[in-house]
Amino acid sequence: MNVIVANLNGNKFANLDVDIIKSISGEFTADEVVQSFSNFFFNRMFLDITAIKDYVNISNIKKLSVGLDVSKIILLLSDDPIVNSDSYISSLISMGFYNFARTESELKYLYDNPNGYKDVAHLQKIDNFSLPKEEVDFSGVRIIGIKNFTNHAGATSLIYMLKKQLSKNYYVVAIELNKKDFMFFNDKDMISCKSAEINNAIFKYKDANIILVDLNDLDQVTAHSICSDVLYLMESSTLMINKAVMLDNRCFSKISDYKVILNRSLLSTKDINQLQFESSIHFFAVLPPMNDRVDNSEFLFPMLEKLGLYKKIEN
C-alpha cells in the first residue's frame, strides 16, 4: 500500500491508479512528516515537495533523508528554479533521493520502474555537493580527511589507529569513500559510502566530535571543501615517490601548502631533511611503521597535539 503527502501540486496525484492507504494534504515541517510516517509501513510515498515547509532550504529535505527510507519516496518537484537547479538536484541525489518527477506520467513511471543511483548519476555535479563550511561548523564537528598522496601510503590503517586513540575521549566516526575496506575492522562507527553520498553520511553523524574521512580518489578541491583539515600521506620509498613524480611532475607543488605526513618511515633525520629539501615540502609529521594491535599514542600524540586535539587525549 502507498501514501500521499500533497499540497500545491496534489492534483497530479489524482490519476495514479495505485492503492493508497493514507493521504494527507497541507504544509508540514519535515519533522512532522517524519513523525507521521517513520513507524508507518508503506510501499511507496508520493511526496509533493511543496508540502514541506521551507522546502527550498535543502536542510529541511535532509531531515526527511535521515528519518525516512528515501528509497521508498517519489518526490514531486515544484517549478521553483532553486529546486530545479543543478546544486539542489545534486544534493537530493547525495542524500539518496533517486526518484523525483515533475509530471503525472513521470510519477507513474517511477512507481513501476524506480531509479537506482546509476540512473541519475549523470545529474550529479561533483562541484555542487560538497558540504558548505558553515554547515560543518554549526554542529561543532571536526572533519579530518586523510588521503594517500603516494600509492598505498597507509591511509586506511592510520585512520583505524587514529580512531582508536581519539575514541578514548571523543565520539569519533570514520567514513571511507568508494571502498569497502572498513568492514574488516568490525567497528560499527567505521562506515563505507560512495563519494556522492558523503553529505548524507556527515549529516547523519553530525553529533560526532570528530569525523575521519578516508578520501581515496576524491578530488582535491572537493576534499578541502568538505573537510576542516586534509592530511596527505607520503610513503618514503624511492619507488613510490618516483612513481608519483612520473605521473605528475608538479605533484609536490600541489600539496606543499597543506599538511603532509611522512608515513611508515624508517628514514634517518638526515634523509628526512634531504627529502624535504628535494620536494620543497615541510612534513607536518613523521610517523614510523606501527602495529595496529597495540597502543600507538607515543607516535600519534605529537601529531594530534599539532592538530589541536591534545587537551583531551589521555593514555
Side-chain angles (χ1 to χ4, degrees), residues 127-294:
D127 292 337
N128 293 320
F129 77 82
S130 57
L131 199 63
K133 283 289 185 180
E134 59 269 19
E135 193 159 341
V136 172
D137 294 337
F138 87 92
S139 62
V141 64
R142 180 87 176 268
I143 302 173
I144 300 175
I146 299 179
K147 185 175 181 66
N148 286 335
F149 171 68
T150 55
N151 289 338
H152 310 297
T156 302
S157 295
L158 179 59
I159 286 175
Y160 174 62
M161 289 183 279
L162 285 173
K163 183 181 182 299
K164 285 203 303 183
Q165 176 67 23
L166 289 166
S167 292
K168 295 176 181 179
N169 301 92
Y170 296 96
Y171 171 30
V172 185
V173 172
I175 303 171
E176 69 172 341
L177 303 182
N178 305 322
K179 284 190 176 181
K180 298 286 187 180
D181 291 339
F182 278 4
M183 64 183 291
F184 299 108
F185 292 118
N186 296 314
D187 186 329
K188 65 180 179 61
D189 289 325
M190 298 185 73
I191 65 171
S192 305
C193 72
K194 296 178 181 178
S195 57
E197 299 167 348
I198 182 61
N199 271 10
N200 193 35
I202 290 174
F203 186 81
K204 182 177 180 180
Y205 293 100
K206 64 183 184 300
D207 294 329
N209 301 121
I210 300 169
I211 297 178
L212 303 172
V213 184
D214 191 343
L215 296 165
N216 286 313
D217 57 357
L218 193 68
D219 68 276
Q220 189 174 30
V221 173
T222 306
H224 282 274
S225 68
I226 292 172
C227 301
S228 311
D229 297 283
V230 176
L231 310 179
Y232 292 89
L233 300 192
M234 181 188 295
E235 212 248 47
S236 61
S237 72
T238 301
L239 173 64
M240 291 302 179
I241 291 175
N242 286 347
K243 274 189 174 182
V245 173
M246 184 174 295
L247 290 171
D248 182 356
N249 59 14
R250 297 181 60 252
C251 62
F252 291 133
S253 64
K254 292 180 179 179
I255 62 168
S256 59
D257 293 330
Y258 300 115
K259 297 178 176 69
V260 181
I261 297 170
L262 191 63
N263 195 35
R264 300 192 296 204
S265 172
L266 291 172
L267 298 183
S268 66
T269 301
K270 179 181 178 180
D271 289 335
I272 291 171
N273 290 337
Q274 181 64 29
L275 181 56
Q276 289 185 126
F277 175 77
E278 292 173 352
S279 63
S280 299
I281 291 175
H282 179 74
F283 296 125
F284 182 76
V286 177
L287 298 176
M290 291 179 282
N291 179 358
D292 64 11
R293 296 176 181 269
V294 302

Side-chain angles (χ1 to χ4, degrees), residues 300-311:
L300 297 176
F301 184 91
M303 183 180 73
L304 294 172
E305 184 177 18
K306 292 180 73 174
L307 286 169
L309 298 173
Y310 65 95
K311 291 182 179 179

